[in-house]
Amino acid sequence: MANDPGTARDGVDEVVADVTVDAPVEELDEEDVLVEEGEIAGDYLEQLLDVLDFDGDIDLDVEGDRAIVSIDGGDDLTKLVGRKGEVLDALQELTRLAVQQSTGERSRLMLDIAGWRAGRRAELTEIGLAAAKRVLESGEPESLSPMTPFERKIVHDAIASVDGVTSESEGAEPSRRVVVLKG
């Protein structure tokens, strides 16, 4: 019967008819990949916390097209943030490399420790909105302080939410900055 095309086709039709898909396969695959990235990163960071003898709870999430890993709860965690988030940025890169070594794919995961990035995001949003308001009132362009790509993205997003102003980045790293313009 395996050589009978009608029978083989009927079997395939029955299997296909029993499958229910709630989302496109690409979306399921991408979210599964991001969840796996988060789990690999969580394991890596858990080992790091153990070596350092730091306490912390690791939370894994997926937002948009990236895995989000947060460490909260320990008193020593601010040491892992460093001055202006420099240690946090380095740990994020090391964690991304650990994920890449395991998966063979470049990771864009975001790491937050002790809520530092969340707090910085709120602060940068306010800076962007305040600058947009000043530019709307004065009509004069305003250059902000140099920022990292992460920080500039947040400021650009905040400014984009205000009608009548635009923003662009100018300069070279590490002195690249956001310029707010009327328009």
Side-chain angles (χ1 to χ4, degrees), residues 37-57:
E37 280 187 19
E39 289 173 356
I40 293 166
D43 291 344
Y44 173 78
L45 292 165
E46 188 174 314
Q47 290 174 3
L48 176 69
L49 291 175
D50 286 345
V51 167
L52 296 172
D53 197 27
F54 283 10
D55 291 326
D57 297 320

Side-chain angles (χ1 to χ4, degrees), residues 121-133:
R121 181 181 304 272
E123 181 183 334
L124 290 166
T125 298
E126 285 303 313
I127 288 170
L129 293 174
K133 182 179 177 184

Side-chain angles (χ1 to χ4, degrees), residues 27-126:
E27 287 180 27
L28 293 174
D29 288 342
E30 184 171 339
E31 182 159 337
D32 289 344
V33 167
L34 295 176
V35 168
E36 179 185 3
E37 280 187 19
E39 289 173 356
I40 293 166
D43 291 344
Y44 173 78
L45 292 165
E46 188 174 314
Q47 290 174 3
L48 176 69
L49 291 175
D50 286 345
V51 167
L52 296 172
D53 197 27
F54 283 10
D55 291 326
D57 297 320
I58 298 174
D59 184 43
L60 311 173
D61 199 5
V62 173
E63 286 182 18
D65 62 347
R66 65 174 61 196
I68 308 292
V69 181
S70 302
I71 305 174
D72 293 302
D75 295 333
D76 294 328
L77 292 179
T78 55
K79 294 176 185 174
L80 297 179
V81 173
R83 189 178 70 87
K84 295 184 178 181
E86 291 168 341
V87 175
L88 172 57
D89 288 340
L91 287 173
Q92 177 175 279
E93 280 308 307
L94 288 172
T95 305
R96 286 177 174 177
L97 287 171
V99 170
Q100 182 176 352
Q101 183 178 14
S102 179
T103 64
E105 298 291 325
R106 187 178 184 290
S107 173
R108 295 184 60 237
L109 77 85
M110 183 70 68
L111 174 62
D112 193 5
I113 298 176
W116 188 83
R117 281 201 203 276
R120 185 71 175 137
R121 181 181 304 272
E123 181 183 334
L124 290 166
T125 298
E126 285 303 313

Side-chain angles (χ1 to χ4, degrees), residues 160-182:
S161 71
V162 178
D163 289 335
V165 292
T166 62
S167 64
E168 57 188 42
S169 291
E170 71 176 26
E173 297 294 351
S175 298
R176 198 156 169 80
R177 63 186 68 233
V178 173
V179 178
V180 186
L181 307 159
K182 185 145 183 167

